[in-house]
Amino acid sequence: MHYQIRLANRNDWADIIALLSACHLPTQDLSEDDAERFQIACADGCIIGTIGYEPHGAYVLFRSLAVSAIKRGHGIGVALN
C-alpha cells in the first residue's frame, strides 16, 4: 500500500474530524485552529490515518491516533507514531 504522511492544514479538518469520529475518539475539545497540530496519512486523495499532538511546556502529548478501519494492518499507525 502506498501512502504519504504530511502535516495537516485547515482544508483537512473536516476529514480529520470524520475519521476521529468513525474511530469513536473524542473531538469536542478540538477546533479547526488545531489542524496544524495533526499529521495525516493520505492514499488516493483520502485521509486514511491521523495523529495529533498537544505541546505542554517541554513535553508533547500525542493524542487521537486513528487509522481507517479498512486500512489497518499496513503499518500506518506505526508510521504516524
Side-chain angles (χ1 to χ4, degrees):
M1 163 180 266
H2 297 285
Y3 58 88
Q4 74 173 41
I5 295 176
R6 65 173 174 81
L7 289 175
N9 59 54
R10 288 177 179 262
N11 295 332
D12 302 312
W13 192 242
D15 293 329
I16 291 170
I17 293 299
L19 178 57
L20 294 176
S21 296
C23 292
H24 308 287
L25 293 171
T27 60
Q28 312 86 295
D29 61 330
L30 298 173
S31 74
E32 193 173 325
D33 292 334
D34 297 317
E36 294 169 357
R37 292 184 179 171
F38 280 80
Q39 287 188 357
I40 55 174
C42 299
D44 300 321
C46 297
I47 295 175
I48 58 171
T50 189
I51 188 168
Y53 68 91
E54 294 177 5
H56 292 277
Y59 301 97
V60 173
L61 170 68
F62 286 98
R63 63 166 289 166
S64 304
L65 174 61
V67 176
S68 174
I70 61 172
K71 299 296 183 183
R72 292 179 187 157
H74 296 279
I76 298 165
V78 173
L80 284 165
N81 196 4

